[in-house]
Amino acid sequence: MSSKPSRSALAALHPRKTLAFRLSAAYSLAGLILVILATASLYIVLRTELNRSTELFLADKLHVLQTMLRERPDDGEALNEEIELESQARRYQQFYIRLLDERGVPIMTTSGMAEQLDLVELASRTRGRSERPIAMVGRHGKPFRVTSASVAVGTPPTHNDTVQIAIDISQEDDLLARYRFWFWGILLMTSVLFPLVGFRIARDGIRPVEEIAAIARRITSTSLRERIESEGYPSELASLAGTFNEMLERLEESFERISRFTADIAHDLRTPVNNIRGEAEVALARPRTADEYRDVLESSLEESVRLSELIGDLLFLARAESPFTELHRETVNIGELLTTVHDYYEASASDAGISLVNDGTEPLSAELDRSLMLRVMSNLISNAIAHTPPGGTVTLAAKNEDAAIRIEVSDTGVGIPVEALPRVFDRFFRVDPSRSKASGGTGLGLAIVLSILTLHGGSAEITSQLGRGTRVTLRMPVLATR
Ligand SMILES: Nc1ncnc2c1ncn2[C@@H]1O[C@H](COP(=O)(O)OP(=O)(O)O)[C@@H](O)[C@H]1O
Ligand SMILES: [Mg+2]
């Protein structure tokens, strides 16, 4: 037992958030931040603008009074009109003006000003201030902006009066309050709406993934034909679906190959067994002479040998595919290896009227499994001899190629049709099954060659021209790579 908690235990501790959840959470957060930023900055702009327009209004008023006091200091009528009438004409945004002489005695006051504002407080708060308006709360709780300025009277000026102006800004404050109300309302709405909409969008976006997962769950070895319809998928997911379909294609292919292989095995095992059984049954049907029994036994023995060879080949292939197969590598002298197989096959080649030539006598060596390489060479040479008519030649050659060894077995035989070439390394594949059967081939020879070369980290290739001959080229690294 390992001390680490298992994956499933960890998963139970921290349940996975769905992708849709994460995406919609991210959308909502981003959306909320945007809404807050946008509305807050608009609020700040609005407040600044309102303040500015109040200030401009006050500055304007002050300017009018300054001009009047300077140009027509004695026209009390006009001054009164300016101060009294205009402020009364307003219903909202009322403003009040008070004029004081140099000793601080009020000369003129907008009616109702004293009722709205604490004038003593106004005077003390605006005294000595610049012309920038300051905030003040009226007697009835209304918000005001107030300012005061000292104004020269007459041209040339004889003395200075003081002007105090106050403006009711409750309209502006109300506007800002309504804005804040809507701000919170919109915030509330978006914080409910964004997650809902975001979740919808995310769900729709990842629906194809769920479909792919559903298909993947459904698939078993008998339903490998199923494919994902990626029509209408966004391109990323269409490519995922495509990759998935390709994988299914490959799986389907290899399952088909395996089941074909199994059928082939069954077929190839049944033939010799049927032969043995048939002969035994016939032999037992009536009494036989000792010679007749001997014939039957000999024929059974032949079939049994064929059978055990076939089983041996199948076992070999099965083992060669296991990832735990070990090679017994040793330093093999290639020239010596070729000489050995050459000498072994020379007699049978010349019996068939074929000359077996060994061109690979250079002193080359590589780290190989010697007995497996002998098997490779004898498979290739017996193929070449079997498919070469009398008078032909089979040539063995070996060359050094960078860090690899190249071995070639070529013949001047019947060749292989182009369409059959890609399949000759397949198990049980025979170009002409009836003919090969007579020569005892099982169609496993080249498959074994390929698997041995693969075990060595090498490769096997075949080229052929119909009627001209065939060449098999083997390449393997000089030094063991695994
Ligand atoms: N040198 C060759 N010349 C022509 N055909 C060949 C040659 N080697 C292999 N073949 C073809 O490839 C098939 C597969 O070869 P192999 O796997 O050795 O199976 P087998 O020899 O048992 O038939 C053979 O049946 C034969 O048709
Ligand atoms: Mg063969």
Side-chain angles (χ1 to χ4, degrees):
M1 272 286 295
S2 78
S3 56
K4 281 190 193 161
S6 74
R7 278 179 85 103
S8 55
L10 275 180
L13 274 179
H14 305 281
R16 268 178 201 281
K17 310 248 184 317
T18 66
L19 184 57
F21 176 83
R22 291 186 206 200
L23 283 177
S24 50
Y27 288 152
S28 319
L29 198 66
L32 270 183
I33 289 175
L34 274 181
V35 167
I36 290 174
L37 280 181
T39 41
S41 54
L42 278 180
Y43 178 79
I44 291 169
V45 169
L46 180 64
R47 205 180 53 182
T48 323
E49 285 305 311
L50 287 176
N51 268 340
R52 232 168 66 86
S53 78
T54 309
E55 275 175 29
L56 285 179
F57 177 83
L58 290 176
D60 246 8
K61 276 287 149 215
L62 203 58
H63 183 71
V64 169
L65 291 170
Q66 267 168 344
T67 314
M68 288 178 87
L69 286 172
R70 193 174 60 232
E71 311 277 324
R72 293 179 289 165
D74 304 319
D75 192 348
E77 189 89 352
L79 202 59
N80 191 36
E81 203 164 288
E82 180 63 34
I83 291 175
E84 195 60 63
L85 284 183
E86 214 193 308
S87 92
Q88 279 175 3
R90 290 176 167 246
R91 270 193 74 188
Y92 308 106
Q93 215 187 22
Q94 293 204 309
F95 68 90
Y96 303 94
I97 299 175
R98 195 152 87 116
L99 189 62
L100 305 142
D101 69 12
E102 57 206 307
R103 281 160 296 140
V105 179
I107 305 170
M108 218 171 268
T109 305
T110 312
S111 60
M113 186 173 187
E115 205 250 319
Q116 289 291 342
L117 287 156
D118 183 339
L119 296 177
V120 180
E121 187 192 345
L122 193 159
S124 74
R125 289 193 52 183
T126 54
R127 185 173 305 131
R129 290 293 196 115
S130 67
E131 286 176 15
R132 268 194 90 78
I134 55 172
M136 191 179 147
V137 180
R139 287 191 200 279
H140 307 296
K142 280 189 178 179
F144 282 89
R145 285 278 182 284
V146 294
T147 186
S148 87
S150 150
V151 181
V153 180
T155 18
T158 51
H159 62 279
N160 277 354
D161 281 359
T162 300
V163 176
Q164 296 171 336
I165 310 180
I167 181 165
D168 173 1
I169 54 158
S170 40
Q171 290 298 317
E172 282 90 338
D173 273 15
D174 282 355
L175 177 63
L176 291 177
R178 276 199 301 280
Y179 190 103
R180 283 194 300 271
F181 173 80
W182 280 110
F183 171 76
W184 290 115
I186 287 172
L187 210 62
L188 195 73
M189 255 165 10
T190 47
S191 56
V192 173
L193 268 184
F194 274 177
L196 290 180
V197 173
F199 191 69
R200 253 325 276 269
I201 296 174
R203 275 299 299 271
D204 283 357
I206 58 176
R207 172 153 317 132
V209 177
E210 281 167 4
E211 285 170 13
I212 293 174
I215 291 181
R217 263 193 299 274
R218 268 210 304 278
I219 281 177
T220 64
S221 63
T222 51
S223 64
L224 282 171
R225 216 151 273 270
E226 199 151 348
R227 296 288 180 274
I228 297 162
E229 278 298 331
S230 58
E231 197 121 329
Y233 282 11
S235 63
E236 298 90 336
L237 294 179
S239 102
L240 175 65
T243 313
F244 194 79
N245 283 343
E246 279 162 23
M247 185 190 77
L248 286 179
E249 195 97 12
R250 286 196 298 275
L251 274 180
E252 194 186 351
E253 242 176 61
S254 37
F255 263 86
E256 240 163 49
R257 210 174 322 123
I258 289 170
S259 60
R260 215 182 315 126
F261 183 48
T262 316
D264 285 343
I265 294 175
H267 181 265
D268 276 59
L269 289 179
R270 197 174 53 185
T271 313
V273 171
N274 277 352
N275 288 349
I276 293 172
R277 178 180 168 180
E279 281 172 18
E281 279 171 356
V282 171
L284 290 175
R286 59 183 173 80
R288 305 277 177 185
T289 65
D291 277 351
E292 281 175 323
Y293 282 126
R294 165 177 283 275
D295 280 351
V296 171
L297 282 179
E298 274 176 354
S299 153
S300 296
L301 182 63
E302 227 172 77
E303 293 287 359
S304 307
V305 168
R306 219 177 105 72
L307 201 53
S308 74
E309 270 174 11
L310 175 62
I311 293 172
D313 282 356
L314 284 172
L315 269 179
F316 177 84
L317 279 172
R319 280 202 212 106
E321 283 205 339
S322 145
F324 305 109
T325 311
E326 286 274 332
L327 287 179
H328 303 288
R329 294 206 190 239
E330 55 189 306
T331 307
V332 174
N333 183 326
I334 306 289
E336 216 173 81
L337 182 88
L338 294 197
T339 308
T340 307
V341 283
H342 173 266
D343 293 352
Y344 184 82
Y345 278 98
E346 199 172 27
S348 59
S350 70
D351 280 353
I354 298 164
S355 59
L356 183 60
V357 179
N358 182 9
D359 271 351
T361 44
E362 267 180 70
L364 298 172
S365 58
E367 302 279 306
L368 305 171
D369 187 318
R370 188 181 158 85
S371 66
L372 292 186
M373 285 315 292
L374 280 174
R375 189 164 185 167
V376 165
M377 293 313 294
S378 70
N379 280 1
L380 293 182
I381 294 171
S382 54
N383 273 356
I385 292 175
H387 297 96
T388 303
T393 313
V394 173
T395 313
L396 313 180
K399 287 203 180 57
N400 204 353
E401 227 181 34
D402 296 334
I405 296 274
R406 192 175 81 205
I407 298 180
E408 286 175 359
V409 178
S410 26
D411 62 57
T412 58
V414 294
I416 302 169
V418 181
E419 64 277 9
L421 263 186
R423 300 191 52 203
V424 289
F425 286 105
D426 287 359
R427 294 164 185 190
F428 290 114
F429 179 79
R430 282 165 291 208
V431 174
D432 180 357
S434 55
R435 206 185 50 174
S436 299
K437 189 108 300 144
S439 65
T442 56
L444 292 176
L446 286 179
I448 289 176
V449 168
L450 183 62
S451 72
I452 291 175
L453 264 292
T454 310
L455 277 178
H456 280 90
S459 66
E461 271 168 40
I462 191 162
T463 54
S464 186
Q465 266 187 306
L466 214 52
R468 308 283 292 280
T470 304
R471 164 179 299 172
V472 179
T473 308
L474 312 175
R475 281 192 181 79
M476 57 225 118
V478 172
L479 291 175
T481 49
R482 67 169 217 172

